[in-house]
Amino acid sequence: QGQLKGGLIAWAKGKKVTTFLEDSGNAEYYIASAGDEIIALPEAILEIHGLSAEVMFLKGAFDKFGIEAQFVAMGKYKNAPNQYTEKSMTPAHREQMEALIGGLYREYVEAVAKSRKKSAADMEALISGGPYDASLALDAGLVDKLEYPEEVLDGMGETHRYLGDFRDRPGAFDTRPKVALVMVDGEILPGESQPEGLGSGAVAGSDTVAEALRDAAMDDTVKAIVLRVNSPGGSGSASDVIAREVANAAADKPVIVSMGDYAASGGYYVSAPATAIVASPTTITGSIGVFFGKFVLKGLFDKVGVTNDYVDFGSGGSFASASRRWSPEDQAKVESLASGFYDRFLSLVAENRHMEVEAVHKIAQGRVWTGAEAKKVGLVDEIGGFDRALALAKSKASIADSQDVAVAVFPAPKGAFERFLEEADGWDNMTARARVPLSAEALALQFQKRILRQPRTTLWARLPFGVEIR
């Protein structure tokens, strides 16, 4: 039994699955096609078409303003700085983009063709023929029926609401075996995890994730850990902190990584020491590489009449200055730092994936892989979703497949009162804050404080780009 929410009806495993589309892009249709039947709203628009990747390059604008991007990247495919240092794709950048988007497109066509019982060639032609309104989609066989939500629900009979998350809070007398769920969601940075907020995405804080892993490892009632990684990476040092705790936990009990949309660069770094890695076919992963850099604003300062004077102690005193380029000595140091971390990354993967370092280097160099391709080159163990990761965790912990388990989130979700106290922290008048929205200045100050908490320069193990399927 299921629910109608957000344009999707889902039914329990082993039963008929019906999906309902109000409006749809490629990603929504890809998900809906996994069902036995697709019902669309009579006035729905299905924006089904081919896939495209567009990259914006800022070097031309930087040149006009006198801004120079100084970056060092380890791996010819580590293209994160390219948007600042190039005006178009390098051959390696284009090769990677074509391989990635081509892999996603093939998975999309083949999966939808199989579920809609069409040939891949016919399905590709239909995808290329979009967008469609509901009537055209019905005529093309992309959907099975056109109905309104109440008609769909009436046809389904009795339903009940399914919460759709994994927040199981076992009680004190719960005797089921317990599997811990630890989340690495968002950019990996030092400090505490932060939810997605105004002007910034979610942050997977190394302190929060490391503590959750330690707590789960030390809890005798926890038989296995599922580490859900949905991250493009981030700080190299923060990734290393989390990876160390993953290794420590895996030495004591099974740790299974379940990869989400992204588990790349630092996201792969934290996954590597796990007992096993499960990815979806379209997970974006790999990107084993590192970059380091800064923006030099000397040209911009000259254009607007800003001048700088200096008092230096030590030959490297101006290393992080935005008004001076790196000296040749500083450049050599940066290259050494980046090279050292890249070697560490290769060794970590080689040790935990039981590969030779040189073999890892051949598939690394910042190269991004889909989950399906990553399995072929040995970066992941199995293809599947959270349910497959949970089943594997049970198997590794010698829990019978038929045995129900309690999935407990670490750290435990906070109650409403705890969240209220945290939100009120640092304010003299809690009542006033609850009633009066933050001013623009206050919001800007909070955002600035969050940014300034991070190091001014750091080694970044991060995905070179974001991919949105539309």
Side-chain angles (χ1 to χ4, degrees):
Q1 294 182 342
Q3 67 164 344
L4 180 62
K5 180 181 180 183
L8 181 67
I9 288 182
W11 295 91
K13 187 174 181 180
K15 305 199 182 220
K16 181 181 178 181
V17 176
T18 298
T19 54
F20 176 81
L21 294 173
E22 294 179 357
D23 286 317
S24 171
N26 287 315
E28 292 81 6
Y29 187 74
Y30 173 70
I31 295 170
S33 70
D36 300 297
E37 179 183 45
I38 302 176
I39 302 177
L41 192 71
E43 298 303 324
I45 298 296
L46 278 67
E47 292 188 44
I48 297 171
H49 44 70
L51 305 186
S52 176
E54 181 176 347
V55 182
M56 180 182 291
F57 294 91
L58 302 177
K59 186 179 187 304
F62 284 179
D63 289 345
K64 291 181 183 295
F65 288 103
I67 299 172
E68 180 186 2
Q70 275 195 298
F71 281 89
V72 169
M74 291 294 109
K76 68 177 182 178
Y77 298 105
K78 199 65 178 177
N79 299 311
N82 283 20
Q83 60 182 313
Y84 310 124
T85 60
E86 305 288 340
K87 292 185 177 179
S88 61
M89 295 183 194
T90 63
H93 194 167
R94 182 170 296 279
E95 177 191 349
Q96 176 166 248
M97 293 302 292
E98 288 178 349
L100 176 64
I101 304 304
L104 293 173
Y105 182 63
R106 287 190 297 274
E107 166 62 25
Y108 177 36
V109 170
E110 291 169 5
V112 174
K114 181 179 179 181
S115 63
R116 301 306 296 168
K117 298 180 174 57
K118 296 179 182 294
S119 69
D122 288 345
M123 196 67 233
E124 187 169 6
L126 286 172
I127 290 173
S128 298
Y132 297 87
D133 63 22
S135 296
L136 289 173
L138 181 64
D139 292 341
L142 293 170
V143 301
D144 300 294
K145 293 180 185 177
L146 304 182
E147 291 183 351
Y148 288 95
E150 66 272 16
E151 295 176 299
V152 179
L153 288 173
D154 288 344
M156 294 298 164
E158 185 180 354
T159 64
H160 73 271
R161 183 170 294 277
Y162 170 63
L163 294 179
D165 64 25
F166 302 104
R167 296 189 174 187
D168 191 354
R169 301 190 186 186
F173 301 104
D174 195 331
T175 60
R176 293 176 296 169
K178 188 188 295 183
V179 174
L181 174 61
V182 178
M183 309 291 289
V184 180
D185 186 23
E187 187 119 358
I188 299 173
L189 294 173
E192 301 295 324
S193 294
Q194 302 287 341
E196 188 168 349
L198 183 64
S200 59
V203 170
S206 57
D207 290 353
T208 301
V209 177
E211 183 179 7
L213 286 164
R214 283 195 298 272
D215 289 346
M218 293 172 62
D219 189 330
D220 292 336
T221 67
V222 170
K223 305 305 178 186
I225 300 170
V226 174
L227 185 69
R228 178 69 174 180
V229 181
N230 192 48
S231 171
S235 161
S237 59
S239 300
D240 196 49
V241 168
I242 296 173
R244 176 59 180 265
E245 294 299 339
V246 172
N248 290 342
D252 185 56
K253 58 189 65 173
V255 178
I256 310 300
V257 166
S258 171
M259 291 183 167
D261 294 340
Y262 299 89
S265 202
Y268 189 80
Y269 192 104
V270 303
S271 302
T275 308
I277 300 174
V278 178
S280 77
T282 57
T283 293
I284 296 175
T285 188
S287 192
I288 299 168
V290 64
F291 65 93
F292 190 109
K294 70 173 182 176
F295 294 100
V296 181
L297 306 182
K298 176 73 166 60
L300 175 62
F301 292 159
D302 290 344
K303 289 178 184 292
V304 298
V306 174
T307 58
N308 300 278
D309 206 350
Y310 310 94
V311 174
D312 292 334
F313 287 86
S315 59
S318 62
F319 175 80
S321 172
S323 61
R324 290 197 268 188
R325 301 185 82 253
W326 283 325
S327 67
E329 293 79 14
D330 287 338
Q331 181 79 21
K333 291 175 187 175
V334 169
E335 292 175 357
S336 177
L337 288 170
S339 178
F341 190 87
Y342 181 60
D343 289 344
R344 161 67 178 151
F345 204 159
L346 294 179
S347 297
L348 177 79
V349 176
E351 178 184 351
N352 289 283
R353 300 304 301 171
H354 308 295
M355 302 169 68
E356 296 296 327
V357 171
E358 185 56 35
V360 176
H361 175 63
K362 288 180 180 178
I363 59 175
Q365 303 180 63
R367 180 72 181 258
V368 174
W369 305 90
T370 64
E373 293 168 334
K375 185 176 186 301
K376 293 177 182 177
V377 298
L379 292 178
V380 305
D381 298 291
E382 295 194 25
I383 298 299
F386 179 85
D387 57 342
R388 180 59 201 142
L390 184 60
L392 191 56
K394 290 169 62 176
S395 174
K396 295 288 186 182
S398 300
I399 300 172
D401 185 56
S402 58
Q403 169 71 57
D404 187 25
V405 296
V407 179
V409 177
F410 281 71
K414 294 172 181 174
F417 186 66
E418 290 177 276
R419 292 196 301 271
F420 171 75
L421 289 179
E422 285 187 354
E423 290 171 1
D425 185 36
W427 291 76
D428 294 330
N429 191 333
M430 290 188 291
T431 304
R433 188 189 178 202
R435 292 178 180 172
V436 181
L438 291 175
S439 66
E441 292 80 8
L443 286 171
L445 182 60
Q446 284 195 2
F447 180 69
Q448 182 183 17
K449 284 181 178 178
R450 176 172 171 182
I451 294 299
L452 292 177
R453 282 205 308 267
Q454 307 310 328
R456 294 180 62 190
T457 56
T458 188
L459 283 165
W460 290 97
R462 199 191 187 288
L463 189 67
F465 41 71
V467 175
E468 183 177 358
I469 299 176
R470 280 289 179 264

Short mmCIF file of all heavy atoms in Angstrom, two decimals, residues 4 10 24 55 87 120 137 154 191 307-308 342 363 381 426:
data_model
loop_
_atom_site.label_atom_id
_atom_site.label_comp_id
_atom_site.label_asym_id
_atom_site.label_seq_id
_atom_site.Cartn_x
_atom_site.Cartn_y
_atom_site.Cartn_z
N LEU A 4 -0.09 9.09 -2.18
CA LEU A 4 0.04 10.02 -3.28
C LEU A 4 0.67 11.28 -2.73
O LEU A 4 0.08 11.96 -1.92
CB LEU A 4 -1.33 10.33 -3.88
CG LEU A 4 -1.35 11.30 -5.08
CD1 LEU A 4 -0.56 10.72 -6.23
CD2 LEU A 4 -2.77 11.59 -5.50
N ALA A 10 3.75 5.11 -4.68
CA ALA A 10 4.65 3.96 -4.56
C ALA A 10 3.97 2.86 -3.77
O ALA A 10 3.29 3.13 -2.79
CB ALA A 10 5.94 4.39 -3.88
N SER A 24 6.90 16.41 -15.52
CA SER A 24 8.05 15.52 -15.45
C SER A 24 9.19 16.02 -16.32
O SER A 24 8.97 16.50 -17.44
CB SER A 24 7.65 14.11 -15.90
OG SER A 24 8.78 13.27 -16.04
N VAL A 55 28.88 23.98 -19.50
CA VAL A 55 29.89 24.45 -18.55
C VAL A 55 30.13 25.94 -18.78
O VAL A 55 30.38 26.36 -19.91
CB VAL A 55 31.21 23.68 -18.69
CG1 VAL A 55 32.23 24.16 -17.66
CG2 VAL A 55 30.97 22.18 -18.55
N LYS A 87 38.88 29.19 -21.07
CA LYS A 87 37.71 29.80 -21.72
C LYS A 87 36.83 28.76 -22.40
O LYS A 87 35.75 29.08 -22.88
CB LYS A 87 38.17 30.84 -22.74
CG LYS A 87 38.81 32.06 -22.11
CD LYS A 87 39.14 33.12 -23.16
CE LYS A 87 39.72 34.37 -22.49
NZ LYS A 87 40.06 35.41 -23.50
N ALA A 120 15.78 -0.23 -27.52
CA ALA A 120 16.56 0.94 -27.15
C ALA A 120 16.50 2.00 -28.25
O ALA A 120 16.43 3.20 -27.97
CB ALA A 120 18.01 0.54 -26.87
N ALA A 137 2.08 11.95 -25.09
CA ALA A 137 2.80 10.93 -24.33
C ALA A 137 2.01 9.63 -24.29
O ALA A 137 2.60 8.53 -24.38
CB ALA A 137 3.08 11.43 -22.92
N ASP A 154 -8.91 6.56 -6.02
CA ASP A 154 -10.13 5.75 -6.00
C ASP A 154 -9.88 4.38 -6.60
O ASP A 154 -10.40 3.37 -6.12
CB ASP A 154 -11.25 6.46 -6.77
CG ASP A 154 -11.79 7.66 -6.03
OD1 ASP A 154 -11.53 7.77 -4.81
OD2 ASP A 154 -12.46 8.51 -6.66
N GLY A 191 34.35 20.76 11.15
CA GLY A 191 33.35 21.27 12.08
C GLY A 191 32.07 20.47 12.10
O GLY A 191 32.06 19.26 11.83
N THR A 307 45.40 50.32 -3.58
CA THR A 307 46.81 49.98 -3.45
C THR A 307 47.05 49.22 -2.17
O THR A 307 46.28 49.33 -1.21
CB THR A 307 47.68 51.25 -3.47
OG1 THR A 307 47.27 52.12 -2.40
CG2 THR A 307 47.56 51.97 -4.79
N ASN A 308 48.10 48.43 -2.15
CA ASN A 308 48.43 47.61 -0.99
C ASN A 308 49.88 47.84 -0.59
O ASN A 308 50.76 47.99 -1.46
CB ASN A 308 48.24 46.12 -1.30
CG ASN A 308 46.81 45.79 -1.69
OD1 ASN A 308 45.95 45.61 -0.85
ND2 ASN A 308 46.57 45.71 -3.00
N TYR A 342 47.60 13.76 -3.13
CA TYR A 342 47.15 12.86 -4.19
C TYR A 342 47.74 11.47 -4.00
O TYR A 342 47.05 10.45 -4.15
CB TYR A 342 47.57 13.43 -5.55
CG TYR A 342 47.14 12.58 -6.73
CD1 TYR A 342 45.80 12.32 -6.98
CD2 TYR A 342 48.09 12.04 -7.60
CE1 TYR A 342 45.41 11.53 -8.07
CE2 TYR A 342 47.72 11.27 -8.69
CZ TYR A 342 46.37 11.02 -8.91
OH TYR A 342 45.99 10.24 -9.98
N ILE A 363 42.96 4.91 -13.24
CA ILE A 363 41.53 5.22 -13.26
C ILE A 363 41.22 6.44 -12.38
O ILE A 363 40.05 6.78 -12.18
CB ILE A 363 40.69 4.02 -12.78
CG1 ILE A 363 41.09 3.60 -11.37
CG2 ILE A 363 40.83 2.86 -13.76
CD1 ILE A 363 40.22 2.50 -10.78
N ASP A 381 31.52 -2.16 -5.28
CA ASP A 381 31.32 -3.62 -5.23
C ASP A 381 30.02 -4.07 -5.86
O ASP A 381 29.98 -5.11 -6.51
CB ASP A 381 31.37 -4.08 -3.76
CG ASP A 381 32.71 -3.81 -3.13
OD1 ASP A 381 33.69 -4.46 -3.52
OD2 ASP A 381 32.78 -2.93 -2.25
N GLY A 426 22.53 32.48 21.41
CA GLY A 426 23.26 33.67 21.00
C GLY A 426 22.40 34.90 20.82
O GLY A 426 22.90 35.96 20.45
#
